[in-house]
Amino acid sequence: MFQVETGATVYAEPCPCCGKERRASFGFVHENGDTVAFYYAALAPLSHSEKSVILAVSLGDWGHEVDPSTRLAAVMRARAVEGEIEIAFLEPSESPVKDRAQLGPILSRSDVVKNVACDRFVGIAGAVLLDDADVNEYVAR
Ligand SMILES: [Zn+2]
């Protein structure tokens, strides 16, 4: 069971494809009292033909002194398709996080499905989509 702790700030930033403003939310994910992941969710501008959330999730220790290379990250796209949430992995180059080094190594689409952490990335993405209020409102409306 994951607990999602959303950051206080929602950023507005230009969408890389069209330059229109998109919102982004970020925060940490806890499990049994431990911080187990960081997430960053970029919400596609409403001018896009389809609503989608680009989500970077980085598993690992997010303490201040920790070497980021000990973390492991993946990038996903979530869309609402006929009332169901569909989650697909993306390539590292599609990460919405500018400071990629902080996330640790980002797995490619072909590597993430072979990684033992694959289900964990999807589980955390599901928790963020439900429990980050801004993200949930965006996908549900
Ligand atoms: Zn765009």
Side-chain angles (χ1 to χ4, degrees):
M1 189 70 188
F2 298 113
Q3 289 87 43
V4 176
E5 178 195 353
T6 302
T9 315
V10 174
Y11 286 113
E13 60 185 18
C15 176
C17 83
C18 60
K20 291 229 165 68
E21 187 174 274
R22 72 176 182 188
R23 291 188 304 135
S25 183
F26 67 92
F28 290 99
V29 179
H30 309 284
E31 184 181 40
N32 303 322
D34 291 326
T35 304
V36 294
F38 167 83
Y39 75 92
Y40 188 98
L43 312 177
L46 294 172
S47 55
H48 280 203
S49 57
E50 158 181 284
K51 284 200 286 187
S52 63
V53 180
I54 309 292
L55 191 67
V57 172
S58 170
L59 302 174
D61 191 335
W62 277 79
H64 287 294
E65 310 276 290
V66 176
D67 178 356
S69 69
T70 61
R71 301 171 190 147
L72 189 64
V75 182
M76 290 161 272
R77 179 198 289 116
R79 305 182 296 179
V81 180
E82 290 166 7
E84 306 267 312
I85 300 290
E86 180 189 281
I87 294 173
F89 287 103
L90 301 179
E91 296 296 348
S93 60
E94 296 174 89
S95 167
V97 179
K98 288 178 194 78
D99 188 2
R100 280 190 208 147
Q102 286 300 314
L103 300 178
I106 306 176
L107 292 167
S108 69
R109 280 168 71 170
S110 56
D111 284 344
V112 71
V113 294
K114 292 180 263 175
N115 194 281
V116 288
C118 183
D119 288 346
R120 209 161 161 73
F121 283 118
V122 174
I124 287 174
V128 169
L129 289 161
L130 271 182
D131 294 340
D132 178 308
D134 284 297
V135 176
N136 187 261
E137 190 207 326
Y138 173 86
V139 290
R141 110 188 125 187

